[in-house]
Amino acid sequence: MTSLFGHGLIRTAAVEQVVAPIASHLCHLVLLCDSVEEPEHFSQLEKAAQAVAKATENMTAVASRQLALTEDAISHMEMSSLLESLTVSGQHVLLAAQKLSIQPTMVEHREELISATQNVFLSVVKVLIVDDDATVRRIVSAADQVLECLSELSSSSDMKSLLKSFQVFSEALLHLNSLTLERAHSLQDPRQTKQLLDSLETLRRCISMLHTAMCTTIKHPTSQQTQAAKTYILDRVQSTVSDIITTLKSECHSGPLGPCGYYTERRNNLLQLLNCFSGSSIQGSGFDSLVRDVVFHCIVVANSSRKEFQKTVVGHCRYILQFWSDIKKILKSSEDADDSELSLEKTGTLLMQQIQMLDKALMTTVLYQFLDTFLTASATSEDLVCATRQILDADSSTKMDLIFIQPLVEDFISCTDTIIQVANFISAVAVDAKSLESMENSRVCLARLREQIAPFSLELEDNSVQTVQKLHDMCQKWEEVTSQLYDAICDVMDVREITSIGIDEIITDRRGCDAAYREQSYKLFLEHVTSLICHMKLVIRSVRRNVDRSDNPIYRNGLLVLLKQAQSSQTKVAESARDMLLGSSLNVEVYSTFSDDVSTVIKHFKVLREGLDGKQHPHLLSPLREGARQPETSQSFLPVKDSCDLNWDQMIGGSDSPVLEVIQRDSHAEHEEEHSDEEIKEAVLTHKYDKNDLKIPAVSTVPNLIHKPFEFDLLPLLYEVVTVTKGKNVTVLNRACTGVLELSNCYSQATKEALAVADAIDCQTLQGFRAELVSLTPLLVLTAQETAMSSAMSTERIYKYSTQFSDLINNIRKVLLPLAGAWYHAVYSELQGNWQTVTATVPQQLNDVMTLCADVVQLLTLSDLPSRCEGQETLSVLHSKLNKAQNKTKNLVEFSTSLEGQVDQLEALCIHWGLSFQVLMNSLDLILGTSTAINLSPQKQLLMMSENSLRLQEAARLTSLNCKSAYKSKQLTGYQDELRTLTEAYLKAAEELDVMPNVMQLAKSEFLCRHLLIKIRILSGHLSKANKDYNVALQGIVSIAYFAAEHFKENNPEDPEQKFETAAQTLFENVRSATKSVEDCLNYIRDPRARSNLRSINDHLSFQISDIISRTRLMVETHYICDTLSLDVQIQCWSAKAHYVVEEIQKQEGIHQEAKEHIRAGLQGRTPEVVKVLATIPFKAKEMEFRSDATMTSWQKGATENVVTAESNVNVAAVATYGTGNMETDEGAGSGALKEASSLTYTSLFLKQKSDSWDPQDNRIVQVTRKMAETICYMTQYLKKKGPLLNKEAFVTAAKDIISNCQSVTQFIRVIANHCLDKHCAVELSLIVEQILTITNQLNIISRSEEPTHQLSMNIF
């Protein structure tokens, strides 16, 4: 549940101040409507409705007055309909409330009132949003005015015009500043406010430089430095104003996770405000918004809760809104100030009490939702798992209809949605950032898994066993994800409250069992027993989670005693329930035993609840503590896993006594839980001493209880050390101490290696832990040996040192596990599941991983790539780390196949192995210069790698086309194909990654990524050499940016930032000039496809150079160098495109050589030695050739038309100027003819360009004119022996067509002139008609004679 602000609908505090009280009033109205059974609320209901109607009328009046003062046409159009709707909806609320007061029992009147209130709220929000949009438009209009004044200012040619323009610009800027400043202070999003204020500050700093630059430019117009400064400051001001416009139009978004949950944050703010409550403190405090957000959230939670809690929460919300309404009335009243403050303080105290009561009720409601949801979800999940398991275990040859499990899938998805909703509620009440982040991460994982499961409901129609297998695997993943979510919820919620509510539910289930027994209802008894067992397991899991989080070993061990006691009584309840349900009816003889067991379990659970408060714990020296703590494997999440099998058995007609099987499995699971792989060794060791003790007289059996497990939370290896120390077995102790030394040495080395990948804080922490571990280990070993060899020494010191050692190892683990990352989780999950039964596949997988790693290192070594790291990271260091990783792999394989050692030793080796790989990967990334890119999220990393690969492939393709050497071209093509293959393999490996990937999947993805990076670097080096003339300038500004970012703290006489700006501006101007020239020359490329391709590449050059400069500028401004890989790839891509464009332009005939050199120099980042103002199209440019085939096909004609259209886009004015200047210097008849032909060409193109810009739809004159322009263009091309006109007869025919079309046009013009109301316009049209007729007559005479075609064409124009 988030506020409207979180959705970006309400952007300003002013709008929020209006919406919040209206929303609260409407909510109050709805709640009163729901409680109309109470007569005293009738009058309040109508009063509240009158307040709403009056508020809507006032708002309509204010909006109408404000609308009359504005000239915004959009606001008038949008607001006019909204205001009427707002007034009508307000009156509708009042009428509906009056109806309800007359007939309070009519459900239709209630629904009508609720619908009317919703319409009021929506109308108000729409009006406010329209008004807010109008405010934004006013500021944008002021910004546009500033840009216009800036344009006029930049064109000032003397001081007088400059001062006048500057004054106008200053006034426009001041107006923009006042509007923007007001807007910035009214926004709710602090990031938008900061952006606007920063932009205004930038504009303020630009004013002085703008004035100086303009004055200097006028005084020294030929100075390049002043021109560059003027261009810079103008661009800066323009970009800043554009940033303001962009920020104003953007929507506000909720930021990152805060220090606590959504509800907790608003409740705390509201209580803090009420603690120092006064009339003055309410103003501008967001009091209305806080009340609204708290109430709305609670109502949403109540809507999905039990009815009894729903009434409680809604009742508190109604009282809160009533007190809030009273406070608003007090603030508006005209009573004495002292009386008002007294009433305000009293009401505020009552409101605070109601909020605290609401908070308590809300937490209880959420806890009950949590227990109910997980109870139902686990049962539904187990039903689906059982169904899929039976289908998979059935004969594969049997054809099965899978539609029958579709309802199970849909119920499963529905339960998952409910869990996600409850997780949202619990996330909202989180009180710290850590638990909030854990909750959100688990919730997002479950939501992502839900999206993967949803399509299976439709795929079941195919009756495919593969779909069932996928569904079964997804259910297992669901169990893992929900297990993590459950732990996160236990971290957020108070375990004491969970336990108390769980006990209440157990008591309720017990009563249900009693009622079912009295009725002798087998089904009802089964339902309550299942719920009873499930609630017990949920409570036990929550308490166990609390035990694991405790840092007090004595408290932890004492609570474990009570937990074991509760688990034991739970097992007895399960067994007696099994006996109750053995037959087809309830076993009456066993009921008394069952009832006693349930009473015992309730008693033990109540003691467990008191134990959470530190009570009822056994004495520190009590023998009970020694049996409390034994190493346990992680439990399965599903608390009703076994009992849910019963439901499936009943559905498919299972055994006669399904509960027997259920309880047996449940009991078996409990025993398995207590005797895991680690515990077997300890049990054998303990039983060994117990067996020997049987030979001792009975009096000595009491001290033997001390030799059982002890009272502290120790690692399994330390448990063995303490046990054999007390047993005085020196031989076994020496072996155990050797294991302790190896464990200590493993963690010591791991902390040392982790310093290479840890941040400064973790490094300091690890160094302290390592020093403590090195000093503590010999103390522990020596104390254990002395205690074992001496019968007089107490075991107190060995307990102390063992506890310290275990806690220290656990603290080190908490730091190392995030650093080891996915490598640790992958290998530990593989070995944990197969340890002591490990097959040859796991060691083989580890060896294969090392082979992949060695291959990547060897590839990097043979590639001769220069190191991108300026530190001590070299290839020799990389090989040293590879050898360490190989040694760690060897040790891990030997340990996993030795069938000896404890789980904590295996975990230590896995952490060390994962760290060695993480360090090796970090070294690889440092040498490649890609450490920043690899640290991205998986999605961003995939996107970045794919994008860089595609860019380089395109660059290699273009470069191979330009290579003069066939060998180099073939080599680049090979690199391109290899890069494509590697990219596809990497993407495939990334797609195959599971939520919990195995070692081989992870290794393939990671090493394919590094393999791809190496190949990208290799290909980038080859492209750099092939296009070195075109990337020198870019590499130059990148080097300057690196230098500026690395030496920004040094006092350098040459400002590197200014040097960068100068170099970047020069490069940008040269490239822009070159791309403009390329665009001009594209009109003379014959092949339309080639021309289109070059135009696209040329456009890419323009915006890609801007992107490269922007990224390098960001490094200079932030003093932080990041993602050099993408920048280098962009540079190589740009260089390849620039080289390709230059080579293609060089191949074209008819383009002036000076223009070609200008393009080459510009794209190489050089300024041409002789700067000439070239015409848009050079004078000697060769005209485009058209097809002369009379049988031209339709698509060829279309291509020809497109070419003509492209040529018509030429800047005719510039061409005419250039042509006139040159024609005056040329001599000779041939030269004159050529000049006239050139002039005809440009004029025909100009005519066609103009006619193409007109709309021909329903306009006969435009249609005829466009046809004439096209014919004239063809006739002009005929003079150059080109175009579709093949001979003189066709040329004369074309002239006659023009004559005919001219006659049609003059007829239309005459009609228009005769009906024209404007006399002046009619006279001008008549003169044009006469002119056209005169020229047409001359053209008619010439076309009939034997005049040369050239004179005919001249007369046409």
Side-chain angles (χ1 to χ4, degrees):
M1 174 69 185
T2 57
S3 64
L4 292 174
F5 167 65
H7 292 290
L9 294 177
I10 298 179
R11 293 179 287 188
T12 64
V15 176
E16 175 70 9
Q17 289 176 1
V18 176
V19 170
I22 294 179
S24 300
H25 273 303
L26 297 181
C27 182
H28 189 201
L29 195 61
V30 173
L31 294 183
L32 289 177
C33 181
D34 289 338
S35 62
V36 292
E37 290 82 1
E38 304 176 15
E40 63 270 13
H41 291 308
F42 291 171
S43 59
Q44 297 180 14
L45 186 63
E46 188 169 351
K47 288 180 181 179
Q50 289 174 353
V52 172
K54 184 178 180 181
T56 54
E57 290 177 358
N58 293 338
M59 184 175 183
T60 303
V62 172
S64 299
R65 288 196 300 270
Q66 185 177 353
L67 189 63
L69 299 177
T70 182
E71 298 179 356
D72 190 351
I74 298 178
S75 297
H76 280 277
M77 180 181 64
E78 294 179 347
M79 193 74 78
S80 56
S81 59
L82 290 177
L83 293 180
E84 182 180 358
S85 174
L86 177 61
T87 305
V88 172
S89 58
Q91 294 299 322
H92 188 195
V93 169
L94 180 57
L95 292 173
Q98 291 172 344
K99 288 181 182 179
L100 193 58
S101 299
I102 298 171
Q103 292 179 311
T105 58
M106 290 291 291
V107 179
E108 293 80 2
H109 295 341
R110 298 183 189 181
E111 294 177 351
E112 182 182 0
L113 181 62
I114 294 174
S115 176
T117 55
Q118 292 174 348
N119 292 335
V120 168
F121 183 69
L122 292 177
S123 299
V124 169
V125 172
K126 289 179 181 178
V127 168
L128 293 174
I129 290 176
V130 168
D131 182 69
D132 190 62
D133 292 341
T135 303
V136 173
R137 284 196 298 273
R138 284 197 297 272
I139 305 176
V140 171
S141 177
D144 293 337
Q145 184 65 30
V146 170
L147 294 178
E148 291 179 7
C149 295
L150 182 67
S151 178
E152 295 179 2
L153 181 64
S154 64
S155 61
S156 300
S157 58
D158 52 38
M159 294 299 296
K160 183 177 180 180
S161 60
L162 174 64
L163 294 176
K164 182 178 180 181
S165 300
F166 204 89
Q167 182 179 2
V168 176
F169 171 75
S170 301
E171 293 174 354
L173 192 59
L174 286 173
H175 182 55
L176 174 64
N177 179 76
S178 62
L179 293 177
T180 307
L181 193 62
E182 181 182 359
R183 179 69 178 180
H185 290 154
S186 67
L187 289 174
Q188 291 198 113
D189 191 347
R191 291 167 299 175
Q192 288 186 336
T193 300
K194 184 178 183 302
Q195 290 172 2
L196 290 178
L197 294 179
D198 290 345
S199 298
L200 291 178
E201 180 63 20
T202 302
L203 287 177
R204 186 187 64 79
R205 292 198 301 264
C206 288
I207 299 300
S208 58
M209 182 178 177
L210 179 62
H211 182 268
T212 304
M214 292 302 303
C215 292
T216 308
T217 304
I218 293 176
K219 293 178 181 178
H220 308 284
T222 59
S223 174
Q224 294 183 356
Q225 289 82 1
T226 57
Q227 292 292 339
K230 173 186 173 182
T231 304
Y232 166 78
I233 193 61
L234 289 174
D235 291 343
R236 188 64 178 172
V237 172
Q238 185 176 2
S239 63
T240 305
V241 174
S242 300
D243 291 342
I244 291 177
I245 296 174
T246 303
T247 304
L248 290 171
K249 293 182 178 180
S250 63
E251 291 185 354
C252 56
H253 299 283
S254 57
L257 296 176
C260 55
Y262 168 81
Y263 167 78
T264 304
E265 179 184 6
R266 280 150 179 78
R267 181 207 60 196
N268 292 343
N269 292 340
L270 184 56
L271 291 176
Q272 184 179 2
L273 180 64
L274 292 174
N275 278 331
C276 51
F277 199 58
S278 63
S280 58
S281 64
I282 295 180
Q283 303 297 331
S285 62
F287 175 61
D288 297 334
S289 300
L290 292 174
V291 172
R292 177 203 61 191
D293 291 343
V294 168
V295 171
F296 276 25
H297 177 80
C298 293
I299 290 177
V300 170
V301 174
N303 284 339
S304 56
S305 62
R306 298 183 184 180
K307 289 186 178 180
E308 58 268 24
F309 299 117
Q310 183 176 351
K311 291 181 179 179
T312 303
V313 172
V314 170
H316 287 304
C317 290
R318 188 169 64 248
Y319 283 121
I320 287 174
L321 290 174
Q322 182 62 51
F323 290 137
W324 168 82
S325 179
D326 293 342
I327 290 173
K328 301 295 286 184
K329 291 177 182 178
I330 294 172
L331 292 175
K332 294 179 181 179
S333 66
S334 57
E335 298 179 1
D336 183 63
D338 296 335
D339 295 339
S340 297
E341 286 294 333
L342 186 62
S343 301
L344 199 62
E345 182 179 357
K346 181 179 179 181
T347 310
T349 303
L350 293 174
L351 177 58
M352 186 184 301
Q353 293 174 356
Q354 281 297 327
I355 291 174
Q356 292 170 349
M357 294 169 64
L358 172 64
D359 184 59
K360 185 177 180 180
L362 178 70
M363 297 299 290
T364 303
T365 303
V366 171
L367 281 173
Y368 272 99
Q369 284 191 28
F370 158 60
L371 292 176
D372 294 345
T373 302
F374 274 83
L375 188 68
T376 306
S378 5
T380 306
S381 169
E382 188 57 29
D383 288 344
L384 183 59
V385 169
C386 294
T388 55
R389 187 188 299 123
Q390 288 213 359
I391 294 173
L392 294 174
D393 293 343
D395 187 5
S396 59
S397 61
T398 305
K399 185 68 175 179
M400 299 187 67
D401 186 6
L402 302 180
I403 298 299
F404 75 96
I405 67 170
Q406 190 167 4
L408 293 176
V409 177
E410 293 175 354
D411 292 343
F412 180 66
I413 295 173
S414 177
C415 289
T416 305
D417 291 335
T418 308
I419 292 179
I420 294 172
Q421 182 185 30
V422 172
N424 267 324
F425 296 156
I426 297 177
S427 177
V429 299
V431 295
D432 60 87
K434 184 177 180 181
S435 59
L436 175 61
E437 183 179 3
S438 176
M439 271 296 306
E440 285 299 307
N441 290 339
S442 300
R443 184 187 63 81
V444 170
C445 287
L446 184 60
R448 190 183 303 117
L449 188 62
R450 189 263 182 209
E451 296 300 325
Q452 297 176 7
I453 297 174
F456 291 136
S457 178
L458 300 177
E459 294 179 8
L460 289 173
E461 298 178 359
D462 299 336
N463 296 330
S464 172
V465 180
Q466 287 79 6
T467 302
V468 178
Q469 181 63 51
K470 292 178 183 178
L471 188 59
H472 185 75
D473 296 339
M474 280 295 177
C475 290
Q476 294 178 344
K477 290 182 181 179
W478 184 89
E479 292 180 11
E480 297 174 3
V481 174
T482 47
S483 176
Q484 296 174 1
L485 179 62
Y486 190 95
D487 291 341
I489 291 174
C490 292
D491 294 342
V492 173
M493 308 303 290
D494 187 0
V495 68
R496 296 168 179 82
E497 294 297 328
I498 295 177
T499 307
S500 299
I501 293 176
I503 292 173
D504 293 341
E505 291 296 289
I506 291 172
I507 294 174
T508 303
D509 292 332
R510 189 256 176 88
R511 293 171 182 167
C513 291
D514 293 341
Y517 173 74
R518 287 192 295 268
E519 298 175 5
Q520 284 296 302
S521 173
Y522 186 97
K523 182 177 180 182
L524 188 60
F525 186 85
L526 172 62
E527 179 182 345
H528 286 291
V529 163
T530 303
S531 178
L532 176 70
I533 296 175
C534 293
H535 280 120
M536 288 191 293
K537 289 190 174 184
L538 284 171
V539 171
I540 287 175
R541 180 178 176 85
S542 303
V543 175
R544 184 173 296 281
R545 176 66 178 173
N546 182 68
V547 170
D548 295 337
R549 294 175 58 200
S550 176
D551 296 329
N552 186 346
I554 297 176
Y555 169 83
R556 186 167 58 232
N557 188 251
L559 193 60
L560 277 172
V561 173
L562 306 181
L563 186 62
K564 292 283 186 180
Q565 182 178 265
Q567 286 179 310
S568 177
S569 58
Q570 174 200 346
T571 304
K572 292 181 179 179
V573 170
E575 292 174 353
S576 58
R578 176 198 61 191
D579 296 337
M580 281 286 297
L581 300 169
L582 276 176
S584 58
S585 61
L586 297 177
N587 191 342
V588 180
E589 298 176 356
V590 189
Y591 180 73
S592 59
T593 305
F594 170 77
S595 181
D596 294 340
D597 290 340
V598 174
S599 299
T600 304
V601 83
I602 292 175
K603 177 182 176 182
H604 287 168
F605 269 75
K606 288 182 178 180
V607 172
L608 180 62
R609 170 62 186 87
E610 294 181 6
L612 291 171
D613 295 328
K615 303 175 183 178
Q616 301 286 347
H617 285 208
H619 191 270
L620 187 62
L621 300 179
S622 171
L624 293 174
R625 285 182 174 266
E626 296 201 3
R629 186 65 174 176
Q630 292 187 15
E632 299 177 2
T633 56
S634 59
Q635 293 178 337
S636 173
F637 158 70
L638 292 176
V640 289
K641 181 174 181 179
D642 301 310
S643 58
C644 291
D645 290 338
L646 171 64
N647 301 333
W648 173 250
D649 290 337
Q650 287 178 328
M651 239 177 12
I652 62 175
S655 60
D656 295 335
S657 302
V659 177
L660 175 61
E661 180 184 354
V662 170
I663 304 302
Q664 285 175 343
R665 278 202 298 262
D666 195 31
S667 177
H668 180 64
E670 293 289 342
H671 289 296
E672 283 184 347
E673 182 182 318
E674 296 177 359
H675 296 286
S676 58
D677 292 336
E678 296 88 349
E679 295 171 326
I680 291 174
K681 295 182 179 180
E682 297 158 340
V684 170
L685 182 62
T686 305
H687 292 166
K688 172 180 145 182
Y689 292 105
D690 291 343
K691 183 177 180 181
N692 294 334
D693 290 338
L694 292 176
K695 301 177 181 179
I696 303 176
V699 270
S700 62
T701 58
V702 177
N704 285 339
L705 293 174
I706 301 175
H707 295 286
K708 291 183 180 180
F710 43 86
E711 65 266 28
F712 296 103
D713 181 16
L714 302 180
L715 299 173
L717 185 59
L718 270 296
Y719 162 75
E720 183 180 355
V721 169
V722 174
T723 302
V724 298
T725 299
K726 292 191 290 185
K728 310 300 182 181
N729 191 331
V730 180
T731 304
V732 179
L733 176 63
N734 289 335
R735 187 167 59 249
C737 288
T738 302
V740 171
L741 290 173
E742 292 176 353
L743 181 67
S744 175
N745 184 51
C746 183
Y747 274 107
S748 177
Q749 292 181 9
T751 53
K752 184 177 180 181
E753 291 186 17
L755 300 178
V757 293
D759 56 24
I761 298 177
D762 285 344
C763 285
Q764 187 176 0
T765 304
L766 287 174
Q767 287 174 351
F769 285 158
R770 185 170 181 267
E772 187 178 353
L773 182 65
V774 171
S775 61
L776 181 62
T777 304
L779 257 174
L780 172 64
V781 173
L782 183 61
T783 303
Q785 292 174 343
E786 290 176 352
T787 304
M789 289 184 291
S790 173
S791 59
M793 287 189 65
S794 171
T795 58
E796 182 180 354
R797 292 180 62 200
I798 191 65
Y799 284 153
K800 176 183 176 182
Y801 291 144
S802 298
T803 304
Q804 290 179 358
F805 188 89
S806 299
D807 291 343
L808 182 58
I809 293 297
N810 288 331
N811 291 332
I812 294 175
R813 284 180 65 256
K814 291 178 182 179
V815 181
L816 293 183
L817 284 180
L819 299 178
W823 291 105
Y824 160 75
H825 295 288
V827 71
Y828 187 66
S829 61
E830 288 278 339
L831 293 176
Q832 185 186 29
N834 300 294
W835 190 53
Q836 298 189 352
T837 57
V838 66
T839 61
T841 57
V842 178
Q844 183 61 40
Q845 284 185 359
L846 294 177
N847 292 328
D848 292 342
V849 169
M850 282 311 308
T851 303
L852 290 175
C853 182
D855 291 342
V856 171
V857 174
Q858 183 180 10
L859 176 64
L860 179 61
T861 306
L862 298 177
S863 63
D864 293 331
L865 289 177
S867 177
R868 302 276 175 161
C869 178
E870 295 184 358
Q872 302 299 321
E873 210 69 34
T874 60
L875 288 176
S876 59
V877 174
L878 178 64
H879 281 281
S880 174
K881 293 178 179 178
L882 175 63
N883 292 333
K884 289 182 180 180
Q886 290 172 336
N887 292 333
K888 302 300 180 298
T889 305
K890 181 180 178 182
N891 295 338
L892 186 59
V893 170
E894 290 176 354
F895 183 85
S896 63
T897 55
S898 65
L899 302 180
E900 296 180 358
Q902 299 286 0
V903 174
D904 46 10
Q905 293 175 287
L906 173 65
E907 187 179 28
L909 288 173
C910 290
I911 291 176
H912 200 182
W913 183 84
L915 276 173
S916 65
F917 265 80
Q918 203 70 31
V919 170
L920 179 62
M921 295 293 100
N922 184 63
S923 180
L924 267 172
D925 297 335
L926 287 175
I927 293 176
L928 290 172
T930 57
S931 55
T932 307
I934 294 300
N935 290 330
L936 298 173
S937 63
Q939 292 82 3
K940 291 184 178 180
Q941 182 180 333
L942 276 176
L943 181 62
M944 185 271 296
M945 296 294 293
S946 304
E947 181 179 347
N948 290 335
S949 175
L950 291 175
R951 286 183 187 275
L952 270 192
Q953 290 177 42
E954 177 65 11
R957 184 185 69 83
L958 295 176
T959 306
S960 64
L961 297 177
N962 295 329
C963 280
K964 298 179 181 178
S965 169
Y967 170 75
K968 288 184 178 180
S969 177
K970 184 178 180 181
Q971 186 184 34
L972 287 175
T973 304
Y975 279 129
Q976 178 188 351
D977 296 337
E978 187 177 5
L979 196 62
R980 182 187 301 109
T981 304
L982 266 177
T983 304
E984 293 174 354
Y986 169 62
L987 294 177
K988 183 179 179 181
E991 290 176 358
E992 292 174 354
L993 279 179
D994 296 331
V995 180
M996 298 288 291
N998 58 38
V999 181
M1000 205 60 201
Q1001 287 178 333
L1002 181 62
K1004 283 183 179 180
S1005 176
E1006 292 291 331
F1007 290 123
L1008 274 175
C1009 178
R1010 269 65 180 192
H1011 196 168
L1012 181 59
L1013 285 172
I1014 294 172
K1015 289 298 182 180
I1016 286 177
R1017 286 296 189 192
I1018 294 174
L1019 181 54
S1020 178
H1022 285 286
L1023 294 176
S1024 180
K1025 293 178 182 178
N1027 306 307
K1028 60 182 179 180
D1029 294 336
Y1030 297 89
N1031 60 27
V1032 171
L1034 286 173
Q1035 295 290 357
I1037 65 168
V1038 171
S1039 301
I1040 297 173
Y1042 288 171
F1043 181 83
E1046 294 170 354
H1047 302 84
F1048 70 96
K1049 293 184 179 180
E1050 301 177 3
N1051 294 326
N1052 199 326
E1054 295 183 2
D1055 186 6
E1057 295 188 12
Q1058 184 60 38
K1059 184 178 179 182
F1060 167 78
E1061 290 295 340
T1062 303
Q1065 184 66 25
T1066 303
L1067 175 63
F1068 182 76
E1069 292 295 337
N1070 291 335
V1071 171
R1072 183 171 64 177
S1073 175
T1075 54
K1076 184 177 179 182
S1077 299
V1078 171
E1079 183 66 28
D1080 296 337
C1081 294
L1082 289 178
N1083 298 288
Y1084 296 94
I1085 298 178
R1086 295 184 180 89
D1087 188 356
R1089 292 186 178 180
R1091 182 172 63 254
S1092 175
N1093 182 37
L1094 277 181
R1095 178 175 285 111
S1096 174
I1097 294 176
N1098 190 50
D1099 293 340
H1100 287 178
L1101 289 176
S1102 299
F1103 66 74
Q1104 200 168 4
I1105 191 67
S1106 301
D1107 190 21
I1108 293 173
I1109 293 176
S1110 298
R1111 296 186 65 169
T1112 51
R1113 181 180 286 111
L1114 184 63
M1115 295 182 187
V1116 176
E1117 293 175 351
T1118 59
H1119 311 299
Y1120 178 65
I1121 301 175
C1122 62
D1123 197 8
T1124 58
L1125 174 69
S1126 297
L1127 182 60
D1128 185 48
V1129 169
Q1130 273 194 311
I1131 291 175
Q1132 301 308 327
C1133 183
W1134 189 92
S1135 304
K1137 290 178 180 178
H1139 191 183
Y1140 177 78
V1141 168
V1142 170
E1143 293 298 327
E1144 289 299 311
I1145 292 295
Q1146 290 290 337
K1147 296 176 184 178
Q1148 304 301 323
E1149 298 179 0
I1151 299 178
H1152 203 287
Q1153 187 61 32
E1154 194 171 324
K1156 295 180 179 179
E1157 291 302 323
H1158 177 79
I1159 293 171
R1160 180 191 296 274
L1163 293 181
Q1164 290 178 357
R1166 298 183 290 107
T1167 303
E1169 297 180 1
V1170 181
V1171 180
K1172 268 194 176 183
V1173 181
L1174 299 177
T1176 308
I1177 299 178
F1179 169 68
K1180 296 182 180 180
K1182 186 176 180 181
E1183 295 292 332
M1184 181 175 181
E1185 295 182 1
F1186 289 84
R1187 294 179 177 269
S1188 58
D1189 190 357
T1191 61
M1192 186 184 297
T1193 61
S1194 59
W1195 69 268
Q1196 290 171 333
K1197 291 180 181 179
T1200 305
E1201 292 173 359
N1202 292 334
V1203 171
V1204 174
T1205 303
E1207 290 192 357
S1208 67
N1209 293 326
V1210 178
N1211 189 338
V1212 180
V1215 175
T1217 304
Y1218 182 86
T1220 304
N1222 284 276
M1223 281 190 291
E1224 292 176 358
T1225 60
D1226 292 342
E1227 297 178 358
S1231 177
L1234 180 59
K1235 286 183 289 183
E1236 290 178 352
S1238 179
S1239 177
L1240 291 176
T1241 301
Y1242 300 145
T1243 309
S1244 64
L1245 289 177
F1246 175 77
L1247 177 60
K1248 187 158 192 332
Q1249 180 186 20
K1250 285 295 183 182
S1251 62
D1252 286 344
S1253 65
W1254 301 335
D1255 185 10
Q1257 187 175 3
D1258 299 328
N1259 194 327
R1260 179 63 177 168
I1261 296 179
V1262 173
Q1263 296 172 1
V1264 174
T1265 306
R1266 292 181 69 173
K1267 184 177 180 181
M1268 292 168 58
E1270 185 177 1
T1271 306
I1272 292 172
C1273 188
Y1274 292 157
M1275 294 176 67
T1276 306
Q1277 292 161 5
Y1278 175 78
L1279 299 178
K1280 303 281 291 182
K1281 301 188 183 299
K1282 301 171 184 176
L1285 301 181
L1286 303 179
N1287 47 42
K1288 182 177 178 181
E1289 288 74 17
F1291 184 86
V1292 174
T1293 303
K1296 293 180 179 179
D1297 291 339
I1298 291 178
I1299 296 171
S1300 175
N1301 291 330
C1302 284
Q1303 292 173 353
S1304 300
V1305 170
T1306 53
Q1307 291 177 3
F1308 282 106
I1309 296 176
R1310 276 203 183 100
V1311 174
I1312 293 173
N1314 293 333
H1315 293 81
C1316 184
L1317 300 178
D1318 188 349
K1319 295 182 178 180
H1320 180 70
C1321 183
V1323 171
E1324 287 185 351
L1325 287 176
S1326 300
L1327 293 175
I1328 291 173
V1329 169
E1330 295 299 328
Q1331 217 171 1
I1332 293 176
L1333 288 177
T1334 303
I1335 297 174
T1336 305
N1337 291 332
Q1338 294 176 359
L1339 183 60
N1340 190 21
I1341 297 171
I1342 295 172
S1343 64
R1344 295 176 182 175
S1345 64
E1346 297 296 325
E1347 289 287 329
T1349 58
H1350 179 68
Q1351 185 177 355
L1352 177 61
S1353 181
M1354 289 296 296
N1355 277 276
I1356 291 176
F1357 286 99

